[in-house]
């Protein structure tokens, strides 16, 4: 059985030599007919040698890939549909072969010798073989390699790369098939959203037009921003900090710095003071019982005094020179 590999290599070499005897025009006509029915053309070692043999007056774009699951080439499987889309779009837009480009695909299982000949250790690899004869002949017959270092690429990007090497020839665009599922999902979502809005509109409008809702939203926004929320977002301040005694500091020293928890505490105090003032201005006058009204006034006034006193004490903690204070927090 030792003679089997040698016999296979000799057979492939003989087949390649025989194929190379065909003229460039005959080889292009043969492979163009194949890609017209199925693009890209599936190649093996022999057909690859025949397709890329010199002299040739046509261009060849071929992907050397490894689609079998045992090779674990995820990039190969991701790029293959894009390569097929590009090949079919180009061939469909250039049925007469005026651009004289043949698209091929060579899998590692069918082209081990080709992979070894190029010294390839990874896949996929895209080669562009320019013409060696004719009006568009390149100065160097060496193939041009596309770089896949940035991962999988769309067909449009490879198309742009090929166009740069095919001056003066037709460049059929990439035409993606219509994604009917995507259109159906989008249509369903839009109609569903419109239906939901139509059904909920009688219930949503009163909420939108409610003065109390807008007052609450406005008040929350004012308290949020006056307490220093945007300062925290811009400066990326810590939530709390350790003090020299090994404890936790909730309030930062100075009026030019603050902690995240400090902002929340100040916002809560502002909110409580706002609620107390609103209650005194709106709710208390509606109380019918004079005695209850007086008690409520004194209660909310006491809340304002205590909370505001605590707020001033926080200012004195941040800056010992702050001159104002109120009992009971002195």
């Amino acid at each position: 059985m030792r003679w089997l590999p040698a016999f296979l290599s000799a057979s492939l070499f003989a087949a390649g030599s025989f194929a190379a005897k065909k003229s460039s025009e005959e080889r292009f006509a043969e492979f163009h007919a194949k890609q017209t029915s199925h693009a890209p053309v599936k190649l093996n070692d022999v057909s690859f040698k025949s397709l890329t043999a010199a002299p040739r007056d046509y261009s060849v774009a071929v992907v050397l890939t490894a689609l079998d699951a045992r090779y674990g080439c995820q990039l190969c499987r991701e790029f293959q549909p894009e390569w097929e889309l590009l090949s079919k779009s180009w061939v469909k837009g250039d049925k007469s072969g005026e651009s004289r480009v043949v698209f091929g695909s060579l899998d590692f299982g069918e082209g081990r010798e080709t992979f070894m000949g190029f010294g390839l250790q990874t896949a996929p690899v895209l080669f562009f073989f320019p013409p060696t004869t004719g009006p568009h002949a390149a100065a160097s017959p060496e193939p041009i390699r596309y770089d896949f270092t940035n991962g999988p690429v769309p067909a449009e990007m490879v198309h742009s790369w090929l166009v740069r090497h095919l001056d003066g020839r037709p460049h059929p665009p990439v035409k993606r098939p219509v994604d009917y599922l995507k259109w159906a999902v989008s249509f369903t979502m839009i109609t569903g959203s419109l239906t939901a809005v139509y059904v909920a509109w009688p219930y949503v409008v009163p909420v939108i037009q409610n003065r109390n809702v807008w007052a609450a939203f406005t008040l929350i926004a004012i308290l949020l921003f006056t307490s220093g929320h945007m300062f925290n977002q811009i400066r990326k301040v810590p939530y709390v900090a350790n003090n020299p005694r090994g404890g936790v500091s909730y309030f930062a020293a100075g009026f030019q710095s603050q902690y995240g928890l400090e902002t929340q505490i100040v916002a809560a105090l502002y909110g409580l003071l706002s609620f107390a003032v609103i209650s005194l201005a709106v709710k208390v006058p509606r109380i019918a019982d004079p005695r209850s009204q007086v008690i409520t006034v004194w209660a909310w006034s006491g809340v304002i005094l205590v909370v505001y006193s605590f707020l001033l004490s926080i200012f004195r903690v941040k800056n010992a020179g702050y001159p104002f204070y109120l009992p009971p927090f002195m």
Side-chain angles (χ1 to χ4, degrees), residues 181-191:
L181 178 60
K182 182 178 179 181
W183 278 96
V185 171
S186 301
F187 177 77
T188 303
M189 292 181 63
I190 292 173
T191 54

Side-chain angles (χ1 to χ4, degrees), residues 93-115:
D94 184 28
K95 294 181 179 180
S96 63
E98 186 178 353
S99 63
R100 298 190 70 78
V101 180
V102 176
F103 293 86
S105 181
L106 176 62
D107 192 87
F108 179 74
E110 301 291 333
R112 293 177 181 270
E113 288 191 4
T114 302
F115 273 79

Side-chain angles (χ1 to χ4, degrees), residues 12 21 23 35 44 50 68 70 76 90-91 99 108 211 214 246 256 259 281 283 301:
L12 292 173
K21 293 180 181 180
S23 67
Q35 75 174 1
N44 54 32
S50 173
D68 199 302
R70 57 182 172 174
C76 297
W90 192 291
V91 173
S99 63
F108 179 74
R211 295 171 57 186
W214 284 102
Q256 300 300 320
Y259 299 140
K283 299 296 181 182
S301 299

Side-chain angles (χ1 to χ4, degrees), residues 15-297:
S17 300
F18 177 76
K21 293 180 181 180
K22 294 183 179 181
S23 67
S24 174
E25 185 61 35
E26 290 175 337
R27 284 183 282 128
F28 175 74
E30 175 187 351
F31 286 102
H32 179 65
K34 290 182 179 180
Q35 75 174 1
T36 302
S37 58
H38 186 277
V41 180
K42 291 185 177 181
L43 305 171
N44 54 32
D45 283 325
V46 176
S47 56
F48 177 83
K49 291 179 181 178
S50 173
L51 178 62
T52 58
R56 61 178 180 275
D57 62 348
Y58 56 89
S59 305
V60 179
V62 59
V63 167
L64 279 65
T65 186
L67 298 176
D68 199 302
R70 57 182 172 174
Y71 302 128
C73 183
Q74 180 66 26
L75 181 58
C76 297
R77 292 191 290 271
E78 291 178 356
F79 177 67
Q80 188 64 22
E82 296 296 313
W83 180 241
E84 293 178 357
L85 173 63
L86 171 59
S87 305
K88 292 176 182 178
S89 298
W90 192 291
V91 173
K92 186 176 181 179
D94 184 28
K95 294 181 179 180
S96 63
E98 186 178 353
S99 63
R100 298 190 70 78
V101 180
V102 176
F103 293 86
S105 181
L106 176 62
D107 192 87
F108 179 74
E110 301 291 333
R112 293 177 181 270
E113 288 191 4
T114 302
F115 273 79
M116 294 174 59
F118 283 104
L120 301 178
Q121 301 295 326
T122 60
V125 176
L126 172 58
F127 282 130
F128 175 77
F129 294 83
T132 59
T133 60
H136 301 291
S140 173
E142 295 299 320
I144 304 170
R145 180 171 176 171
Y146 183 82
D147 187 10
F148 282 94
T149 55
N150 294 327
V153 293
E156 290 80 4
M157 189 173 296
V158 180
H159 180 274
S160 300
W161 179 76
L162 288 175
V163 167
R164 291 199 298 270
H165 300 290
L166 292 169
D167 292 336
R169 282 155 282 186
H171 308 133
V174 176
K175 293 185 177 180
R176 293 187 177 273
V178 178
D179 190 346
Y180 293 102
L181 178 60
K182 182 178 179 181
W183 278 96
V185 171
S186 301
F187 177 77
T188 303
M189 292 181 63
I190 292 173
T191 54
S193 301
L194 293 177
T195 303
V197 171
Y198 177 79
V199 173
W201 187 252
Y203 307 96
V204 174
V205 170
V207 177
I208 296 176
Q209 296 178 344
N210 189 286
R211 295 171 57 186
N212 293 332
V213 172
W214 284 102
F217 176 78
T218 304
L219 185 61
I220 292 173
I222 292 173
L223 295 176
L224 184 66
F225 291 109
T226 56
S227 62
H229 175 73
M230 289 306 299
F231 181 92
N232 295 347
Q233 296 299 316
I234 296 172
R235 299 291 183 90
K236 306 298 181 183
V237 300
Y239 190 67
V240 293
N242 296 325
N243 58 29
R245 296 185 297 273
V248 178
S249 294
Y250 301 106
F251 304 101
F255 290 133
Q256 300 300 320
S257 60
Q258 62 186 20
Y259 299 140
L261 182 58
E262 175 185 342
T263 301
Q264 296 175 4
I265 294 174
V266 172
L269 295 176
Y270 284 165
L272 187 55
L273 287 171
S274 302
F275 186 75
V277 172
I278 292 173
S279 297
L280 285 173
V282 178
K283 299 296 181 182
V284 172
R286 298 178 183 177
I287 300 176
D289 183 31
R291 183 179 179 83
S292 299
Q293 190 179 57
V294 171
I295 294 174
T296 305
V297 169

